[in-house]
């Protein structure tokens, strides 16, 4: 689960990770009030969306006076911001962060990630902060330094110093940076984060270090341990169909192709997306209805997929293990009758009670095409959309 920069900075503050003074604003008036409270200029007006690259997209502006705060706030609030992370549809800006402007001597990069390959927390640092870190990684990978922290040992003093030296910080800033990194690590562990990224971390003209930007992603599977964090979820930032699917425990991810697919089991769902691709079509979603899907879940799965205008045909790929094919078939028939499916549907079903399941489908006289195997299903669905 991602959160906004202003929320991440409030959490940072509680962990003594230094951030600029500032506050969230939902209107131009609130932005002006916050700017007045900051008691000086420049002030920075920042769009709050769950996507990076806001600066380049015109979503981060410096204001030298109250008039400029007003102009920038008016312009950014309600704008649709396009960045390399928003996708072509952009993102509507509904809130701002208004912050005290900083005098920047150097923009650095700092992030913490879970690294599954080494079962450690990896700290990534670079002197080339502020810009696209992906570009630094591609062109000058030696400019990114990685430090692996054993989660059982925790972060060690020598690792804090190693990071500070790698950033070539002046000695006056070394202690501040060590404290910041130590506290950030504590924050990361205590809240089951999967990623924390500060880009840029800045060295100010008076040799302080501050998190100028803040991106935090929590491990959603661990959120049950942090009820208080769930309040930070912003449904405006999520795909509405994905939000709807999460209400019914459907593992659904919206993609940009035109073949909707309903599958039981995440592995089979991945394989199904591959065979759709191989056959020359593209999946419109990932959908795992789970091993023991109920007919109600099947119905909701249909409804959600049909609500997606991109979907031109549906492929159902079911392996009856715990889930019995006859029960699933009944769910499909009920859903089809209720939702009125008016696009081609191809069904491939195998496993427990498959003959009974096939009979239920054929008796229902729905406009379904059955496939004999995965290959056949892929050919048929590709023919339906192409
Ligand atoms: P992003 O573009 O979404 O990553 O947003 P950031 O929060 O990283 O801001 C983008 C850029 O705006 C930074 O890299 C800085 O160069 C600039 N910026 C942000 N805040 C300040 C500030 O207080 N003072 C100055 N001079 N520049 C700032
Ligand atoms: Mn940034």
């Amino acid at each position: 689960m991602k959160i906004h920069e202003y929320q991440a900075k409030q959490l940072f503050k509680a962990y003594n990770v230094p951030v600029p003074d500032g506050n969230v604003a939902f209107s131009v008036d609130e932005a002006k009030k916050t700017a007045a409270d900051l008691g000086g200029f420049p002030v920075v007006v920042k769009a709050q969306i769950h996507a990076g690259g806001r600066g380049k997209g015109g979503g981060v502006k410096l204001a030298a006076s109250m008039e400029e705060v007003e102009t920038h706030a008016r312009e950014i609030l309600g704008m649709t911001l396009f960045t390399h992370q928003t996708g072509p549809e952009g993102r509507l800006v509904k809130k701002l962060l208004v912050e005290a402007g900083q005098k920047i001597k150097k923009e650095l990069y700092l992030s913490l990630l879970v690294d599954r390959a080494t079962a450690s927390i990896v700290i990534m640092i670079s002197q080339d902060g502020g810009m696209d870190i992906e570009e630094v990684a591609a062109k000058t990978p030696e400019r990114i330094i990685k430090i692996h922290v054993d989660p059982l040992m925790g972060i060690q003093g020598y690792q804090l110093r190693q990071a500070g030296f790698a950033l070539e910080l002046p000695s006056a800033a070394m202690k501040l940076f060590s404290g910041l990194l130590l506290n950030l690590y504590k924050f990361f562990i205590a809240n089951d984060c999967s990623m924390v990224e500060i880009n840029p971390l800045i060295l100010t003209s008076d040799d302080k270090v501050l998190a100028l930007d803040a991106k935090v992603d929590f491990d959603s599977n661990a959120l049950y341990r942090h009820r208080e964090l769930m309040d930070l979820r912003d449904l405006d930032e999520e795909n509405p169909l994905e939000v709807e699917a999460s209400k019914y425990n459907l593992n659904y991810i919206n993609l940009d192709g035109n073949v909707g697919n309903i599958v039981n089991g995440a592995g089979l769902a991945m394989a199904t997306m591959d065979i759709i691709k191989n056959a020359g079509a593209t999946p419109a979603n990932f959908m795992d209805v789970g091993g023991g899907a109920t007919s109600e879940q099947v119905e909701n799965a249909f409804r959600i997929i049909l609500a997606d205008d991109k979907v031109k045909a549906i492929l159902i790929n079911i392996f009856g293990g715990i889930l019995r094919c006859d029960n699933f078939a009944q769910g499909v028939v009920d859903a089809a009758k209720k939702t009125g499916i008016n696009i081609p549907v191809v069904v491939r079903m195998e496993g427990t009670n498959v003959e009974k399941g096939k009979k239920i489908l054929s008796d229902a006289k729905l406009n379904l095409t059955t496939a004999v195997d995965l290959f056949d299903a892929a050919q048929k669905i590709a023919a339906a959309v192409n």
Side-chain angles (χ1 to χ4, degrees):
M1 182 187 84
K2 287 184 186 158
I3 58 171
H4 286 291
E5 176 192 9
Y6 78 91
Q7 296 168 318
K9 283 179 168 170
Q10 277 165 8
L11 297 174
F12 281 6
K13 228 192 253 177
Y15 274 79
N16 285 320
V17 172
V19 296
D21 287 333
N23 219 332
V24 64
F26 296 88
S27 65
V28 175
D29 282 345
E30 276 179 28
K32 285 168 72 181
K33 188 178 174 306
T34 300
D37 290 345
L38 291 171
F41 291 96
V43 155
V44 190
V45 181
K46 308 181 80 173
Q48 296 297 285
I49 56 169
H50 285 190
R54 296 162 301 165
K56 281 184 195 157
V60 177
K61 293 262 163 77
L62 274 162
S65 64
M66 197 53 89
E67 290 69 48
E68 285 187 19
V69 171
E70 177 159 354
T71 319
H72 296 325
R74 220 173 268 294
E75 188 189 310
I76 298 174
L77 261 183
M79 86 188 284
T80 301
L81 194 52
F82 299 94
T83 82
H84 63 285
Q85 287 184 3
T86 57
E89 68 282 2
R91 202 63 72 74
L92 181 66
V93 181
K94 293 188 175 175
K95 35 198 166 275
L96 303 170
L97 172 61
V98 179
E99 261 185 3
Q102 305 298 314
K103 291 208 180 77
I104 304 173
K105 197 195 266 183
K106 202 168 167 188
E107 299 199 8
L108 311 163
Y109 177 90
L110 170 64
S111 67
L112 274 68
L113 292 159
V114 174
D115 182 25
R116 286 165 210 278
T118 57
S120 64
I121 310 296
V122 61
I123 298 171
M124 293 213 272
I125 44 179
S126 178
Q127 294 196 49
D128 299 336
M131 56 184 97
D132 243 342
I133 198 68
E134 288 82 4
E135 202 179 311
V136 180
K139 290 187 181 151
T140 49
E142 71 283 0
R143 304 275 299 165
I144 299 175
I145 282 115
K146 292 181 186 170
I147 300 172
H148 294 270
V149 180
D150 181 333
L152 295 177
M153 304 279 284
I155 194 163
Q156 303 293 308
Y158 77 89
Q159 294 176 313
L160 300 173
R161 288 187 289 278
Q162 190 187 346
F165 286 130
L167 290 174
E168 295 183 23
L169 293 172
S171 52
M174 213 56 128
K175 212 171 163 181
L176 277 170
F177 173 77
S178 287
L180 181 151
L181 181 52
L182 178 63
N183 292 334
L184 197 65
Y185 181 83
K186 286 180 181 163
F187 166 79
F188 189 95
I189 297 293
N191 294 287
D192 290 310
C193 295
S194 53
M195 197 242 357
V196 169
E197 185 183 60
I198 300 178
N199 187 23
L201 173 80
I202 57 161
L203 180 68
T204 62
S205 55
D206 53 354
D207 284 344
K208 297 227 162 52
V209 281
L210 285 178
L212 202 67
D213 194 3
K215 253 201 214 121
V216 170
D217 202 346
F218 298 108
D219 179 351
S220 300
N221 290 320
L223 276 176
Y224 74 96
R225 306 206 290 194
H226 311 283
R227 299 267 158 203
E228 73 293 350
L229 295 177
M230 287 184 191
D231 297 340
L232 303 178
R233 184 171 175 193
D234 184 351
L235 296 180
D236 281 347
E237 295 287 332
E238 296 179 31
N239 179 295
L241 291 176
E242 290 179 13
V243 173
E244 180 71 6
S246 70
K247 289 185 199 160
Y248 306 102
N249 277 326
L250 296 164
N251 293 315
Y252 170 86
I253 296 163
N254 195 276
L255 303 168
D256 49 19
N258 58 9
V259 177
N261 56 90
I262 299 180
V263 187
N264 66 329
L268 190 58
M270 297 300 284
T272 303
M273 296 196 301
D274 285 347
I275 61 157
I276 291 171
K277 266 276 202 228
N278 266 339
T282 45
N285 66 278
F286 169 96
M287 168 79 87
D288 167 19
V289 294
T294 61
S295 50
E296 189 203 357
Q297 271 179 309
V298 176
E299 194 181 315
N300 284 313
F302 259 106
R303 191 171 50 74
I304 286 161
I305 287 182
L306 288 169
D308 183 352
D309 309 329
K310 302 188 302 281
V311 173
K312 298 287 174 273
I314 298 178
L315 172 59
I316 299 176
N317 186 13
I318 295 298
F319 180 76
I322 300 168
L323 176 70
R324 288 162 43 184
C325 291
D326 51 338
N327 284 354
F328 184 82
Q330 195 56 53
V332 171
V333 171
D334 293 347
K337 284 187 177 151
K338 272 195 203 161
T339 45
I341 300 167
N342 51 4
I343 53 174
V345 177
V346 176
V347 185
R348 177 262 176 179
M349 218 162 44
E350 275 310 332
T352 312
N353 293 352
V354 65
E355 292 311 323
K356 279 192 198 167
K358 284 186 175 160
K359 185 164 176 347
I360 291 169
L361 290 181
S362 61
D363 287 352
K365 307 237 177 308
L366 296 169
N367 189 18
L368 302 176
T369 308
T370 47
V372 292
D373 57 22
L374 273 179
F375 182 75
D376 185 38
Q379 299 303 312
K380 283 179 171 154
I381 201 73
V385 291
N386 291 331

